[in-house]
Amino acid sequence: MSNKRPETMERIATPALAEAFIDEQIKAIRAQVGEKKVLLALSGGVDSSVVAALLIKAIGKNLVCVHVNHGLLRKGEPEQVVEVFRGQMDANLVYVDAVDRFLDKLAGVSEPEQKRKIIGAEFIRVFEEEARKQEGIEFLAQGTIYPDILESGPVKAHHNVGGLPDDLRFELVEPLKFLFKDEVRVVGKALGLPDNMVYRQPFPGPGLGVRCLGAITRDRLEAVRESDAILREEFAKNGLEGKVWQYFTVVPDFKSVGVKDGKRSFEYPVILRAVNTKDAMTATVEDVPFALLQQITERITHEVKGVNRVLYDLTPKPTGTIEWE
Ligand code: XMP
């Protein structure tokens, strides 16, 4: 099949066009897979979630979703995947708690690319093990979207579960492969996915692993997760959700001296990052109101264990990258 978007294809910008796309894809998916089973790695990101919702409509429980919790997801994400797909959509969902496995493999590894490699390789291994436990799978669904095919920009998507061994090379089902991101969101909305899943900001495949700088430790990883949750909550409360392109926190692997409850403390800082960009090649820093930065600082230093300072990263890209690793 061609990998070029048909020139006649209308931009999916309205609910009605999304409905038409969904009907058409349901037919195409049924024609492709028949009564056979399809496997999908469901991260909870926009693309894999939309593929899952579409395939559940088309083939119900013949779609086997595998959600791997590698311990590097944001607060509440694994729970939301289970609640939305198993709870609301009655999906055939396998939830794999692989937290210890990933953190053990990553222990002591500080080089960023090495961390990425370990996370990617371990993900394939866990997915492969789950694939082998399933009987009769003949297809692999993937949330490939058109920009992945065009390979534009440095947003390093992790859509394909390439790297599976030869005997697990399934035929691919890629219903979103001609869609741009905004179209995927319109389709996701029409499929009934929650707004916070559909309008989610970009999140790297290696997740919080590249925001817990250097060798990942459980205490700093929790500090990243908790501070990120506070930042997201405060941005949402103050009307910045959906307005700022990407925002998150980073915890470096050094401590500084502070005072807490009248006593000297020696704890980690949290770095806040909030940027805007069109294509992630360059980025500018969001002009976050100072009072909001102070409010976030107050919350993080009081609510997050092991943290005594908060810093705001004022660096555009270039010279900084968006992530710190
Ligand atoms: P940088 O840090 O290179 O980030 O300015 C540009 C965009 O790419 C995302 N990013 C990643 N996405 N795997 C991903 O799926 C990765 O390893 C990765 N590293 C960076 C980053 O979040 C930003 O949106």
Side-chain angles (χ1 to χ4, degrees), residues 116 154-158 202-206 211 245-246 280 317 321-323:
R116 279 192 172 77
V155 180
K156 301 146 207 155
H158 263 231
F203 187 61
R211 297 173 181 172
W245 195 78
Q246 197 173 10
K317 175 180 182 178
T321 47
I322 294 175
E323 303 289 345

Side-chain angles (χ1 to χ4, degrees), residues 230 292-304 310:
I230 292 173
L292 178 56
L293 289 173
Q294 285 176 310
Q295 158 77 5
I296 293 166
T297 302
E298 171 79 14
R299 282 199 59 194
I300 290 177
T301 49
H302 285 85
E303 294 173 35
V304 182
V310 175

Side-chain angles (χ1 to χ4, degrees), residues 98-113:
V99 176
D100 289 340
R101 221 173 129 159
F102 275 81
L103 295 186
D104 288 351
K105 277 260 151 58
L106 286 162
V109 180
S110 57
E111 208 279 309
E113 290 315 311

